Amino acid sequence: MTSLIDDKYIFIELPKGYEAPEGYTAKLSASLYGTRDSAFRFWQTLSTWMVDYSFEPVKADKTLFRMEKDDSTIMIVALYVDDGLTAHNNDAEYQKFITALSERFELSTESTEVT
């Protein structure tokens, strides 16, 4: 769960085993899991990607995203931090979505088919 940091600086002490000249430290270029704002920054990155992929956030709940195509394809994605749940009526579109998502984010899937 990482996202780019572009609007502020976060510095860390170097981990044991790494050395830097006296007075130097390390500046993060991506948010790390466990930092105070990592979940928020990941949410920003993921929700921007979802909108770019043609999903619309549901006004009543910003953790829900809805995509409708061709009057027949509907996909709904519910997100909570770095977990997601999908409902869809078109397997081909769902596979395209998962492929695109996995090209941008590291995924681990536990699929439970409900019919």
Side-chain angles (χ1 to χ4, degrees):
M1 180 168 68
T2 62
S3 59
L4 294 178
I5 299 172
D6 57 0
D7 63 344
K8 69 178 181 178
Y9 298 111
I10 298 175
F11 295 94
I12 61 170
E13 291 182 20
L14 291 174
K16 290 182 181 178
Y18 291 89
E19 294 183 20
E22 184 68 32
Y24 281 75
T25 186
K27 178 182 134 187
L28 293 179
S29 60
S31 183
L32 295 176
Y33 185 81
T35 57
R36 185 172 33 190
D37 63 348
S38 63
F40 174 72
R41 289 188 177 280
F42 180 73
W43 170 255
Q44 285 180 317
T45 302
L46 180 56
S47 61
T48 298
W49 185 90
M50 295 288 288
V51 169
D52 290 346
Y53 193 81
S54 300
F55 279 89
E56 293 182 16
V58 175
K59 291 179 183 174
D61 187 344
K62 299 295 184 193
T63 65
L64 291 175
F65 290 83
R66 185 174 196 274
M67 179 176 64
E68 210 170 322
K69 286 186 168 183
D70 305 330
D71 295 334
S72 62
T73 298
I74 297 173
M75 191 175 330
I76 298 170
V77 178
L79 299 172
Y80 181 75
V81 187
D82 61 351
D83 292 322
L85 176 69
T86 60
H88 62 89
N89 66 349
N90 184 320
D91 287 339
E93 281 295 325
Y94 171 73
Q95 288 305 320
K96 282 174 43 178
F97 165 69
I98 292 299
T99 299
L101 188 64
S102 67
E103 288 172 357
R104 174 59 180 88
F105 301 98
E106 183 179 332
L107 298 182
S108 62
T109 59
E110 292 181 24
S111 179
T112 304
E113 184 99 13
V114 178
T115 56

